Amino acid sequence: MQSASRFSRNTHLVQRLHQATLICAMGCALAWVTPLWAQTGWRSVSTAPSGPAVMVTPIPEAAAPQPKAKAEGGLQMFGVTLSTATRAELRQAIRDEGLKPQREDDAFQEDIYEALNWMPGLLQMKFSYAPQGQRLARVDYVFMTFSDNAHVEDVKLRIEGRFGRPQSVTGREQSGPYQAIWRLPDQMEIFVAREWPQKTTQLRFTNLPVWGQMRPDSVRESGQTARREKNQNNQALPLWVAR
């Protein structure tokens, strides 16, 4: 009997030990599984950046900053608006500025002035006028011929500094034939070019409405050769003057 009773107690003890072991095992499993599940769940969500969120939205082309258009005003030289200038007005302004005339004769469409020290390489400035009304049609800058290609780039940069990027470019600045064109709101056109293979720089300001009414066979005069001057006059190029 005692043996049976002892066996029964031992059996109950073993069962309780098994139950305790099972509970302990389940508790430990839950203790390990729960953090792992939580961690796995945290990793399944996209993490936010450490810094504040920044949304980058492309600026629509219409809303992008645009350079201020020169909608009002006009191109002026020696204080005279070129789009409306007459021969008499410009002659007086040129005299006041101190340019030495090489030819001022109403029998010719062009007045020619010496301009050796006004821009690097500049020899002359020619002012062409329409026969009807003697309005200014064009201003031509006559440069000496250079042995390199860099002079046209220097002139282009001077124009860009005042009027921005050209509307039209043909050729390469480094070598070969090249031209750049600016068209201003007052219907004045700026033309910079390099002849090839002579490498001579061209610069002219054209009053398009007036020039278009003139005959194409206007009188042209050949420039004289002279040494290249490094000095320049800030009044050599026109300015845009707002109203």
Side-chain angles (χ1 to χ4, degrees):
M1 290 292 294
Q2 291 181 353
S3 298
S5 177
R6 186 178 304 166
F7 176 79
S8 177
R9 286 196 302 268
N10 290 339
T11 301
H12 288 298
L13 181 61
V14 169
Q15 290 177 351
R16 290 179 181 177
L17 285 174
H18 285 171
Q19 292 177 357
T21 301
L22 181 60
I23 294 172
C24 181
M26 291 178 61
C28 291
L30 289 174
W32 284 101
V33 170
T34 301
L36 180 60
W37 173 87
Q39 187 178 22
T40 304
W42 174 79
R43 287 182 178 177
S44 66
V45 179
S46 299
T47 58
S50 58
V54 178
M55 182 177 293
V56 179
T57 304
I59 301 176
E61 184 176 355
Q66 299 292 333
K68 294 182 180 179
K70 300 180 177 66
E72 295 185 0
L75 200 63
Q76 286 192 6
M77 192 172 194
F78 311 139
V80 178
T81 301
L82 296 182
S83 62
T84 58
T86 64
R87 194 168 205 164
E89 290 174 335
L90 271 173
R91 278 182 174 177
Q92 184 60 53
I94 290 170
R95 291 191 195 102
D96 295 342
E97 197 61 38
L99 274 176
K100 181 181 178 181
Q102 293 184 343
R103 187 185 71 196
E104 281 187 346
D105 190 339
D106 292 345
F108 296 88
Q109 290 182 349
E110 287 180 339
D111 288 345
I112 304 174
Y113 300 87
E114 182 180 295
L116 290 177
N117 294 322
W118 282 60
M119 288 177 63
L122 183 62
L123 306 177
Q124 298 173 325
M125 296 179 69
K126 297 182 178 182
F127 295 78
S128 301
Y129 300 92
Q132 297 294 329
Q134 294 296 299
R135 288 182 60 189
L136 175 72
R138 196 160 78 178
V139 181
D140 285 272
Y141 290 65
V142 179
F143 294 95
M144 66 178 292
T145 301
F146 296 93
S147 60
D148 58 38
N149 301 320
H151 185 255
V152 71
E153 183 177 3
D154 176 70
V155 173
K156 175 178 174 285
L157 290 175
R158 293 173 189 270
I159 299 298
E160 282 187 345
R162 295 193 177 188
F163 305 102
R165 300 286 296 174
Q167 278 79 32
S168 172
V169 174
T170 304
R172 299 186 306 152
E173 295 180 12
Q174 292 78 9
S175 64
Y178 174 83
Q179 70 177 34
I181 297 175
W182 292 254
R183 291 186 176 89
L184 305 183
D186 61 348
Q187 300 189 67
M188 294 292 297
E189 179 186 87
I190 307 172
F191 178 83
V192 175
R194 177 178 53 227
E195 295 178 346
W196 194 261
Q198 296 86 355
K199 303 179 183 179
T200 304
T201 300
Q202 295 182 355
L203 171 62
R204 61 175 178 253
F205 295 80
T206 303
N207 189 349
L208 294 177
V210 178
W211 183 258
Q213 297 173 1
M214 294 178 61
R215 292 183 305 173
D217 58 345
S218 61
V219 178
R220 310 304 302 170
E221 300 293 333
S222 59
Q224 302 175 359
T225 58
R227 62 189 178 90
R228 180 177 182 178
E229 298 288 342
K230 293 184 179 180
N231 297 331
Q232 64 176 2
N233 190 308
N234 289 330
Q235 302 300 320
L237 295 176
L239 294 170
W240 182 270
V241 178
R243 292 195 183 98

